[in-house]
Amino acid sequence: MSRSKTRGFTLIELLVVIAIIAVLIALLLPAVQAAREAARRIQCTNNLKQLGLGLHNYEGVAGALPPSMCMKGSGTTITWSNGWSVHGRLLPFLEQGSAFNSINFTLRYSVPENTTIGAMVIAAFLCPSEVNTQPRATTLARYGVNNYGWNMGDWYVWGGFAGAANGAPFQVNQSRTLAAFSDGLSNTVVAAEVKTYQPNLGNCGGLANVNNPNAQPSPAADPYTVAPEYNAGCTLATTGHTEWVDGAVHESGFTTAWTPNRRIVRTGGDQSQALDLIGSRESQGGPTFAAVTSRSYHPGGVNVLLADGSVRFIKDSINGDAWRALGSLRGGEVISSDSY
């Protein structure tokens, strides 16, 4: 009698097939991840474009851009502040009219009458690449986080009620017209990406070496020489950019003190924490000098919104002086388009 042979895979053949599949996965996975990141970056760009449209529509109605926040007082004494950010003032131009109409702008964002709005998660304020988008909970309220900061200065943010104006598009109690952008709308950054839950050093009581609006440290200088406060004398918090309602620079702004994604860590501290630095916060009456760096999860740089409404991708390798020049609205710098 003839025996029928059973056909099947040998162990070696099976291992070869598994190895081939593993190689294909290894080759395809980076491509898939790159495609997903490209899609996220496009959505992030669209968010900034929407903010740009909202900003121009606001200017068309009000005749000027919104202030970073509003305060009343004298010297460094604040007698009234509502703290509301540029984000909050743009709500009706971002299809959030109902939320805007629910805000009582005569009161601070943190009072019970306003905390419902402050807890809102607004998609236009979040980059799809952000890994930490959940609202921040405090003992009294919850706050929606934010991935887009408004340009509030280089190091100099605010000089108090009697201080000089900064050179950026946004400042406390200042509503600048587009005509004030003498450097050109296409040469001035109005907003850039930031990370949520950003570690920052605050309550420094001022900065020892950075205290003159007319004498700014070079962007190429050693950070620890410029600001020894990076290593001592300040309080560490991990809540930067976790309140889109707050007009303070560490919550809804950025500065051009350092180039995008610049990593500065505390010696002997957590080396994974790239730090921002706020010498004295606006809510303390100023003067405020700060290094709140633009950051993103996109490889190699950040998306920025220019004053003409266009969006550009700025590389981490941009020259520091060119970055400062893009942050100034009337500095008179000459910037070549190949500089960024």
Side-chain angles (χ1 to χ4, degrees), residues 124-297:
F125 298 162
L126 296 174
C127 173
S129 294
E130 174 60 56
V131 300
N132 203 351
T133 59
Q134 70 270 21
R136 180 169 73 89
T138 69
T139 55
L140 299 177
R142 284 162 53 88
Y143 295 102
V145 299
N146 165 46
N147 278 130
Y148 305 109
W150 303 99
N151 180 4
M152 298 183 188
D154 38 32
W155 275 94
Y156 179 57
V157 176
W158 186 49
F161 295 104
N166 68 20
F170 300 96
Q171 184 185 312
V172 176
N173 293 345
Q174 293 283 335
S175 294
R176 296 191 166 105
T177 64
L178 293 181
F181 288 65
S182 58
D183 287 349
L185 299 182
S186 61
N187 291 322
T188 306
V189 172
V190 293
E193 289 186 87
V194 292
K195 289 183 177 180
T196 70
Y197 292 90
Q198 171 61 38
N200 63 75
L201 297 167
N203 300 320
C204 306
L207 302 177
N209 300 332
V210 188
N211 48 42
N212 184 349
N214 300 314
Q216 300 296 314
S218 167
D222 174 55
Y224 305 102
T225 302
V226 167
E229 291 83 2
Y230 276 115
N231 280 327
C234 304
T235 303
L236 175 64
T238 56
T239 56
H241 302 118
T242 57
E243 298 181 12
W244 63 259
V245 290
D246 187 350
V249 64
H250 67 290
E251 292 290 6
S252 59
F254 81 98
T255 70
T256 56
W258 305 119
T259 51
N261 289 313
R262 178 72 181 270
R263 290 193 78 258
I264 303 172
V265 300
R266 176 164 275 190
T267 303
D270 187 343
Q271 299 300 293
S272 68
Q273 291 182 332
L275 300 171
D276 286 347
L277 178 65
I278 307 99
S280 179
R281 294 179 178 175
E282 299 98 313
S283 59
Q284 296 168 329
T288 300
F289 291 84
V292 180
T293 303
S294 173
R295 294 185 173 89
S296 82
Y297 290 98

